[in-house]
Amino acid sequence: MLSKGSIIFIVIFISLHFSFYSYGYGVERKKFDSLYTVGISKIRIDIRISDSCINKLNKIETLSFTQKAKLNYLKSKVHAQKVKNQPKGFVVQDDMVDPDSLLATGISYIEHGYASKGLEIIYNYIETNRNSIKDTLLDYLNIKIAEGLRMNLEYKKAVYILEEVLQSPKINSFNKSYAYNRLAAIYDVTPELSFQQRVDSVKKYSDLSISISKPHNFLYLLGLSQSELGSLYRLSSMNLDLSELYCTKAIQNFIEIKAYRNAMNTSIILSDIYIRRGELQKSTIPLYKVLDYLNVIGNEDMFMRVYLQLAKSHYLLKDYHNAYEFLSVGRLLEKLLFEFAMDEKISEMSAKYNLALKESEISKRENKIKLQRKDIRYLAAVLMITLTTLIISILYFSIKRKSLKQQHDLEILEKKNLQILFKAKNKELVQSLAHSIDKNNVLKTLKKEIAAGKSSNELTYIINSNIDTSHNWREILLNFQNLYPDFFSKLSVQHPNLTQNEIKLCALLILKLSTNEISEVLSVSSSAISKSRQRLRKRLNLDKEADLHTYLQKFI
């Protein structure tokens, strides 16, 4: 048994040791706070000083978890100041694609929560390589697209794509298990489903994924499904022990394949399980366990969630100092992520604006080319129409000219035929008149001989009766009307006061009969015919110089 003096000595020794330890810790804390404050204040002034502070802080071996949290914030702040256009340090969790490629960057964007940027890259890749991309890679990329759509709350589209992938005849085991797992994740957050429907769907598709992943040792997919089931049983409070078991196995699988982001996410779920069971001391253990595995750069979102969960755990443990420290760092990282998101949005809008300007310029050039091509086509069409019209016109006028020539030739032929017919009719009429003249001459001669001889008055009467001038004239008139159908009507219209004998004389004059021939036809003396011609001139109001026949020709 210790003496009273020994006990006093031990107490003094422990007190002095604790004093020296507290003094050393206090010095280290002051050094940390000084370097941290300088590092934060110099980020926008001289970032090299901030980098120097980070290097010095990394060399301090006895940093607490809250100090490490602050150091991680300082690193993130410096990094964000250096690079604001895109997050760095992304890691692809499988070997389906080349990690250094643009496609890997697109996949990493989705895995880090930047769904829209990742979707754009993957869509462009598929469109560019549609004819050469392998079916296995295409299925995998469609699963990633579904995940991006889930993040953008487009659940129906995501489910449709995954169902299409599962119906692919060449789907491999990895993609099939992955598709089932993502269906479970989507149904877990689909607002249209009832709670029980969500539970049933998540359990169904997670079990399907696990049944494929286990025999093939797909640890990443196995961890995802275990984490999904752990979260399900935690939220529904169906079985917290089973939830703890699933989360613990998931964390082990993720750490084994170095999927540290997923391990951190599942550790938050496991911490919440301990809080629900009232095991507050255990709630910080899984969080502290995974903090040192991952670099904060490019994973600020995950560190933020872990720090906020630690703040909750320490608050429930009534460790208000550490709760405040973790809460402060968590909120600072949240603000940094918001600023980064705004910078990304501004950069994206700027890029879209510049792209729109370029597209506008390209569109203007293309429209100009299209207009030029359109003008050329229009001119070609006009030229073609003009040429066609010209050809048609030439053909038309050629045919028309031939037709007119044929018509002219026909008219000439008809005119010649008419002239021949006219001459024949005229000749026939003249012959008829000549025959009538000869007949009358014979009868007149016979009359004279009989009168000179022994003929009686009765015989003379008979001969006179055979000199039938009226009958001969009717026959001549009929033939004349057939030959000149409009002559008498036109003449009557122009000179309505002409007598029948004057009209007869006009007709005989048209036939170009001499005075003696007319006298023979009409059985009158030549002197009578001459007088009749003179009277006719007066009737027609003709001068002495005017030719009577020429005047009468115009009525034919």
Side-chain angles (χ1 to χ4, degrees):
M1 188 167 180
L2 293 174
S3 63
K4 185 177 179 180
S6 298
I7 293 173
I8 293 172
F9 176 77
I10 291 170
V11 170
I12 293 171
F13 176 80
I14 293 172
S15 298
L16 289 171
H17 179 76
F18 181 76
S19 298
F20 282 117
Y21 177 79
S22 298
Y23 174 77
Y25 177 76
V27 172
E28 289 295 323
R29 183 175 180 179
K30 287 181 181 179
K31 181 180 179 183
F32 176 87
D33 290 342
S34 176
L35 289 172
Y36 175 76
T37 303
V38 172
I40 291 292
S41 63
K42 297 296 182 179
I43 289 175
R44 294 187 179 182
I45 300 171
D46 189 347
I47 203 166
R48 292 173 298 178
I49 297 176
S50 298
D51 281 331
S52 176
C53 290
I54 290 173
N55 292 331
K56 291 177 181 178
L57 289 170
N58 281 328
K59 293 177 181 179
I60 299 177
E61 296 180 356
T62 57
L63 293 178
S64 66
F65 283 111
T66 54
Q67 288 174 331
K68 288 180 180 180
K70 288 182 177 180
L71 177 57
N72 280 334
Y73 169 68
L74 177 59
K75 290 177 181 179
S76 298
K77 186 74 173 175
V78 170
H79 176 76
Q81 186 65 29
K82 290 179 179 178
V83 183
K84 291 185 177 182
N85 59 341
Q86 64 177 9
K88 300 289 185 180
F90 290 178
V91 179
V92 181
Q93 299 299 340
D94 53 74
D95 58 354
M96 296 297 295
V97 293
D98 178 10
D100 295 327
S101 69
L102 180 63
L103 180 59
T105 303
I107 293 171
S108 295
Y109 273 130
I110 292 176
E111 292 177 347
H112 285 72
Y114 303 99
S116 297
K117 294 183 73 173
L119 287 172
E120 182 180 359
I121 293 172
I122 295 175
Y123 282 140
N124 289 337
Y125 179 85
I126 292 175
E127 185 64 28
T128 305
N129 302 278
R130 183 168 295 279
N131 297 326
S132 60
I133 190 170
K134 294 180 180 179
D135 293 333
T136 302
L137 179 58
L138 182 60
D139 289 340
Y140 177 78
L141 294 179
N142 279 324
I143 295 170
K144 289 298 183 183
I145 288 172
E147 176 65 6
L149 293 173
R150 182 186 73 85
M151 292 178 179
N152 288 342
L153 309 182
E154 298 181 68
Y155 302 126
K156 289 183 179 180
K157 288 184 179 179
V159 170
Y160 176 78
I161 290 174
L162 290 172
E163 288 176 346
E164 288 290 310
V165 170
L166 288 169
Q167 292 176 6
S168 175
K170 297 181 180 180
I171 187 172
N172 62 17
S173 298
F174 182 91
N175 286 334
K176 191 172 186 179
S177 176
Y178 199 7
Y180 282 137
N181 172 263
R182 290 302 85 195
L183 279 172
I186 292 168
Y187 285 124
D188 188 29
V189 293
T190 302
E192 290 83 6
L193 299 179
S194 66
F195 176 76
Q196 191 57 45
Q197 286 175 326
R198 288 168 57 192
V199 170
D200 293 341
S201 298
V202 172
K203 191 173 185 308
K204 171 186 174 182
Y205 290 110
S206 293
D207 288 342
L208 285 171
S209 180
I210 290 172
S211 68
I212 299 172
S213 298
K214 257 189 177 180
H216 290 88
N217 201 32
F218 296 146
L219 295 183
Y220 176 66
L221 299 180
L222 191 60
L224 286 179
S225 296
Q226 291 166 341
S227 179
E228 201 70 49
L229 287 171
S231 177
L232 172 70
Y233 289 123
R234 170 190 59 126
L235 293 176
S236 61
S237 296
M238 294 168 59
N239 192 332
L240 291 177
D241 291 337
L242 187 59
S243 178
E244 178 188 6
L245 178 63
Y246 275 125
C247 289
T248 302
K249 287 182 177 180
I251 292 172
Q252 290 173 354
N253 287 326
F254 287 139
I255 291 175
E256 184 175 344
I257 61 172
K258 299 181 180 180
Y260 299 124
R261 279 183 61 87
N262 301 91
M264 292 180 79
N265 181 65
T266 308
S267 70
I268 295 171
I269 299 173
L270 185 57
S271 172
D272 191 61
I273 292 170
Y274 290 134
I275 291 173
R276 287 171 182 262
R277 287 202 312 207
E279 299 176 1
L280 301 180
Q281 293 294 339
K282 285 185 177 181
S283 66
T284 61
I285 295 173
L287 299 173
Y288 285 136
K289 183 178 179 180
V290 297
L291 273 175
D292 291 332
Y293 281 123
L294 199 62
N295 188 346
V296 69
I297 304 303
N299 298 291
E300 291 86 354
D301 58 329
M302 196 57 65
F303 275 85
M304 175 198 72
R305 293 179 58 208
V306 170
Y307 290 148
L308 292 177
Q309 183 66 22
L310 280 169
K312 180 180 178 181
S313 295
H314 282 286
Y315 175 80
L316 293 173
L317 288 167
K318 298 183 180 181
D319 182 3
Y320 300 123
H321 173 74
N322 283 327
Y324 172 77
E325 293 288 354
F326 282 122
L327 180 64
S328 298
V329 175
R331 293 306 179 201
L332 286 171
L333 284 174
E334 186 177 37
K335 180 183 176 184
L336 188 65
L337 288 169
F338 176 78
E339 291 174 352
F340 174 75
M342 289 299 99
D343 289 341
E344 284 287 300
K345 200 67 178 176
I346 293 170
S347 298
E348 183 180 349
M349 292 174 65
S350 177
K352 286 182 177 180
Y353 176 74
N354 292 331
L355 180 62
L357 287 178
K358 290 180 180 178
E359 288 178 347
S360 176
E361 292 175 0
I362 293 170
S363 179
K364 286 179 181 179
R365 287 197 296 268
E366 288 179 349
N367 288 334
K368 186 176 180 180
I369 294 170
K370 286 180 180 178
L371 287 174
Q372 290 175 346
R373 289 176 179 173
K374 188 176 180 181
D375 290 341
I376 292 171
R377 287 196 296 268
Y378 175 76
L379 290 173
V382 170
L383 183 61
M384 185 64 70
I385 292 170
T386 304
L387 186 60
T388 305
T389 305
L390 181 62
I391 292 171
I392 292 173
S393 299
I394 291 172
L395 290 174
Y396 172 78
F397 285 114
S398 177
I399 294 170
K400 186 73 174 176
R401 187 175 62 182
K402 289 181 180 179
S403 177
L404 289 173
K405 188 175 183 302
Q406 290 175 353
Q407 186 177 355
H408 180 67
D409 293 342
L410 185 60
E411 288 176 355
I412 292 173
L413 183 60
E414 288 178 354
K415 192 172 182 180
K416 287 181 179 179
N417 291 335
L418 287 174
Q419 287 176 351
I420 293 170
L421 180 61
F422 175 77
K423 288 180 180 180
K425 291 289 185 180
N426 194 54
K427 183 177 180 181
E428 182 181 346
L429 183 57
V430 172
Q431 287 175 350
S432 175
L433 288 172
H435 176 71
S436 178
I437 291 169
D438 291 341
K439 177 184 174 184
N440 287 340
N441 287 334
V442 170
L443 292 174
K444 286 178 181 180
T445 302
L446 182 59
K447 180 181 177 182
K448 288 178 181 179
E449 288 178 353
I450 293 172
K454 298 177 179 179
S455 59
S456 61
N457 291 332
E458 185 179 357
L459 184 58
T460 302
Y461 174 76
I462 292 171
I463 293 170
N464 283 334
S465 64
N466 287 327
I467 304 174
D468 188 5
T469 58
S470 61
H471 177 75
N472 290 339
W473 174 249
R474 283 196 301 272
E475 188 176 337
I476 293 168
L477 182 61
L478 182 60
N479 291 332
F480 186 87
Q481 284 179 332
N482 289 333
L483 192 59
Y484 305 110
D486 299 326
F487 177 76
F488 291 121
S489 60
K490 290 181 179 180
L491 183 63
S492 298
V493 170
Q494 189 73 20
H495 302 285
N497 297 324
L498 294 177
T499 64
Q500 287 297 321
N501 288 332
E502 288 172 342
I503 291 172
K504 289 179 183 180
L505 180 59
C506 289
L508 295 172
L509 289 171
I510 283 295
L511 296 175
K512 294 185 178 181
L513 297 181
S514 64
T515 301
N516 291 332
E517 288 173 335
I518 293 172
S519 67
E520 292 294 336
V521 171
L522 298 177
S523 299
V524 295
S525 63
S526 298
S527 59
I529 294 302
S530 296
K531 291 179 181 179
S532 296
R533 289 173 68 116
Q534 291 175 359
R535 283 195 302 272
L536 182 60
R537 277 181 174 278
K538 291 180 181 180
R539 285 274 195 176
L540 299 176
N541 297 319
L542 294 177
D543 297 334
K544 291 182 179 181
E545 292 79 11
D547 183 63
L548 188 57
H549 177 268
T550 303
Y551 176 74
L552 293 174
Q553 282 285 109
K554 72 178 184 178
F555 297 106
I556 294 176

